[in-house]
Amino acid sequence: MTQSTRLEIRAALRQLLPVMLAVMPFGMVYGAVAVAEGLTLWQAMGFSIAVYAGASQLAALQMIGVAAPIWSVLLTVVALNFRHVLYSASVGRHLTRFSPLEKAAAFFLLTDPMFGAAEARVLQRPLTKTFYFAYGILLYLVWIGSTLIGAVFGSMIGDSEKYGLDFVLPVYFLALLMTFRGRSAFYLVALSSAAVSLIVFATLGPPWHVTIGGLAGVLVAAIAPPKRRAEMADGDD
């Protein structure tokens, strides 16, 4: 293993550690809820291995629990995960050295934390395969492992809201969002997206607020005027 490879792995692990602390309770809650809703251990694990989308998995479980028709379950999952189309369009620009098979694997691992880590990384240096897959694969294994723990020992967790576990990931995502505050029109995009999301949540309800709010942010970012060069030069004429 070369020195550069070791450095990339260490960088990925440093960024991943706080994410693991947020993802593990969330995965355990999913595993516990899955078993409580009637899934077998293997079904709960298979869901995490194949779908790998925590919020969508929980949403699907809740709808299955109220006997919702399969088409509405699928539509909800697609709507909730549509933001990943936007993620792949953004991150795909940085995967020029990835082969088609490596890109397919990279997009499978493209979760919310992976997107944030990749975009933050390219602000400092090129995104390497070592960094991306070290971060993505380990996060995937953490999610599967926490699902297993939750499915086996879920009855010991009880009410997840009592311990604030349902609030762990939103706090993490907010902190992740703020790492991009130096980008052009950040506050305009973020506030526009949040406002539209809240309006849609109050009118159409979930999960449409996630997708439509994200699309609103993309639209505002596309039409917002870029920073003038003079403003980005730190006073340099």
Side-chain angles (χ1 to χ4, degrees):
M1 184 182 296
T2 65
Q3 178 69 15
S4 61
T5 299
R6 287 195 292 268
L7 290 175
E8 288 293 291
I9 293 175
R10 289 174 185 170
L13 294 178
R14 282 196 300 270
Q15 288 200 30
L16 182 59
L17 180 59
V19 180
M20 290 170 56
L21 298 178
V23 168
M24 287 187 68
F26 192 54
M28 292 168 64
V29 169
Y30 160 73
V33 171
V35 173
E37 291 290 344
L39 270 64
T40 67
L41 174 62
W42 292 110
Q43 288 172 335
M45 294 299 299
F47 208 179
S48 277
I49 292 170
V51 178
Y52 188 38
S56 297
Q57 291 175 226
L58 283 171
L61 284 177
Q62 291 172 353
M63 297 186 71
I64 292 171
V66 297
I70 188 63
W71 66 265
S72 64
V73 176
L74 294 176
L75 183 61
T76 297
V77 170
V78 170
L80 196 56
N81 276 333
F82 189 79
R83 68 190 185 281
H84 290 277
V85 176
L86 308 178
Y87 289 173
S88 62
S90 180
V91 172
R93 300 172 301 163
H94 313 304
L95 305 183
T96 55
R97 298 183 180 180
F98 288 51
S99 70
L101 184 60
E102 289 168 340
K103 284 185 179 180
F107 288 140
F108 175 76
L109 296 171
L110 187 55
T111 57
D112 297 297
M114 183 74 255
F115 169 74
E119 289 293 330
R121 186 67 173 172
V122 298
L123 295 177
Q124 303 171 350
R125 61 191 68 197
L127 183 63
T128 65
K129 300 176 187 178
T130 301
F131 177 91
Y132 192 102
F133 286 116
Y135 187 107
I137 292 174
L138 184 54
L139 182 61
Y140 180 53
L141 295 177
V142 167
W143 175 253
I144 295 172
S146 59
T147 296
L148 178 61
I149 294 173
V152 174
F153 301 104
S155 60
M156 300 173 61
I157 297 177
D159 184 4
S160 60
E161 296 184 4
K162 177 180 178 181
Y163 303 102
L165 296 181
D166 59 320
F167 202 60
V168 172
L169 279 185
V171 170
Y172 164 72
F173 289 142
L174 180 60
L176 187 64
L177 173 68
M178 294 307 296
T179 63
F180 299 97
R181 63 187 180 276
R183 291 192 172 186
S184 177
F186 167 81
Y187 290 102
L188 176 62
V189 171
L191 291 175
S192 300
S193 181
V196 171
S197 182
L198 288 172
I199 293 171
V200 175
F201 182 84
T203 54
L204 298 179
W208 298 106
H209 65 296
V210 176
T211 297
I212 297 177
L215 289 173
V218 171
L219 179 62
V220 172
I223 64 178
K227 280 186 177 180
R228 291 177 298 177
R229 189 177 301 275
E231 294 175 346
M232 300 176 63
D234 294 329
D236 185 10
D237 294 330

